[in-house]
Amino acid sequence: MLINGNDIDLSNLEKPLLLVSEDEELLFLRLIQPTLEQGLIQCPLAFSTRKSISIVRDFWLAMYKDQEKLYINSGHALLYPIRLIIFELVTQVEYFKRLSKKAFKDEWLSLIYAVVLLQFVLQWIKERFSDNKEVYEALKVLYRATDDNVDDDQTSPSRERSIGQAIAVKAIRFEVRENSEEFASLLNQTYNFVNYLYGKENETDEKETTKLPSMRNEEETLNLFYSKRYTTNKATFTG
């Protein structure tokens, strides 16, 4: 499927971090495909690569399912250290539990929360590390489809790549720890933006063919909500 100019096979995403049933995987595909085809959610970073869409699925499942029935697939988690650290840090934020309670068993709300949240998180990570060549080299697979051609689940990473991933994991963990309030505010702004979308939809008579509010022509507003997050301006990771 052509997504933001990149050909991505939605049926061949990376392996899920969580233990997931076949029915749940099929449900995600049934939700995400029409959403992308109709351009209902326009978050280019969240949909930039096979890896980023796999994280959307991780977030979606974590909010859609009963929290007590979430289990990490340890075999899969070892394959994706960067995906795993992002998932762990996001789901450990107290506000994630609030989003999960609101989205529990609501497949559409879980999806839009997951996409917007990942858009904000990837934008934040990119800004924090774009000037750190060593760290960004390992992170760029999240953002560039042209560099997404090495499958972690099918090819053993080289020693150099493994070291790069370990450095990136350490860097992300450090940034979130040093800027925990700012990171948590990304989840709060996700909730505020999605509330804005639903409020706007309720003011019109237009109805989409899915239960998602449309994000068409909302890029400026999306960026505005991101810019209004809590900021600390603390120093970034230097290694």
Side-chain angles (χ1 to χ4, degrees), residues 33-79:
Q33 188 155 345
T35 298
L36 291 168
E37 287 174 346
Q38 297 171 35
L40 292 180
I41 303 181
Q42 298 178 329
C43 291
L45 294 181
F47 294 137
S48 57
T49 64
R50 175 175 176 257
K51 185 176 292 292
S52 66
I53 298 175
S54 298
I55 303 176
V56 168
R57 182 185 57 196
D58 296 333
F59 286 174
W60 170 78
L61 191 63
M63 285 187 274
Y64 176 65
K65 287 189 70 169
D66 186 338
Q67 291 290 301
E68 295 183 358
K69 296 180 180 179
L70 294 179
Y71 301 98
I72 293 287
N73 187 318
S74 57
H76 293 176
L78 292 174
L79 300 171

Side-chain angles (χ1 to χ4, degrees), residues 119-121 123-128 179-190 192 221-234:
Q119 174 73 20
F120 285 167
V121 169
Q123 189 169 343
W124 187 80
I125 290 174
K126 190 173 186 178
E127 289 176 0
R128 304 299 294 189
N179 302 277
S180 57
E181 290 181 85
E182 180 173 350
F183 190 74
S185 74
L186 298 175
L187 283 80
N188 186 45
Q189 288 303 88
T190 296
N192 290 338
T221 306
L222 180 70
N223 290 332
L224 179 62
F225 274 84
Y226 175 79
S227 69
K228 287 187 174 182
R229 71 193 183 283
Y230 174 84
T231 57
T232 55
N233 296 318
K234 286 190 177 181

Side-chain angles (χ1 to χ4, degrees), residues 66-165:
D66 186 338
Q67 291 290 301
E68 295 183 358
K69 296 180 180 179
L70 294 179
Y71 301 98
I72 293 287
N73 187 318
S74 57
H76 293 176
L78 292 174
L79 300 171
Y80 314 113
I82 292 174
R83 256 179 75 196
L84 180 62
I85 190 61
I86 291 174
F87 178 81
E88 287 182 338
L89 292 172
V90 167
T91 55
Q92 286 169 6
V93 175
E94 182 64 28
Y95 209 93
F96 187 84
K97 296 177 183 178
R98 300 182 192 178
L99 293 180
S100 299
K101 286 181 180 179
K102 293 181 181 298
F104 176 57
K105 286 301 178 182
D106 186 329
E107 62 263 33
W108 291 113
L109 185 57
S110 298
L111 179 62
I112 195 166
Y113 273 158
V115 175
V116 175
L117 176 55
L118 185 61
Q119 174 73 20
F120 285 167
V121 169
L122 290 185
Q123 189 169 343
W124 187 80
I125 290 174
K126 190 173 186 178
E127 289 176 0
R128 304 299 294 189
F129 297 113
S130 59
D131 293 331
N132 188 323
K133 185 177 180 181
E134 184 178 32
V135 173
Y136 192 71
E137 183 66 25
L139 294 176
K140 65 184 182 182
V141 293
L142 292 168
Y143 304 97
R144 300 180 187 175
T146 53
D147 293 313
D148 198 35
N149 54 3
V150 178
D151 296 340
D152 292 333
D153 49 1
Q154 297 176 11
T155 305
S156 297
S158 65
R159 181 175 181 275
E160 180 181 0
R161 190 167 180 227
S162 295
I163 292 173
Q165 290 179 334

Side-chain angles (χ1 to χ4, degrees), residues 198-216:
Y198 277 103
K200 184 177 179 181
E201 182 185 62
N202 290 337
E203 292 174 358
T204 69
D205 295 328
E206 296 180 9
K207 298 294 181 183
E208 296 289 352
T209 56
T210 75
K211 296 180 181 179
L212 280 176
S214 175
M215 281 181 60
R216 296 189 186 110

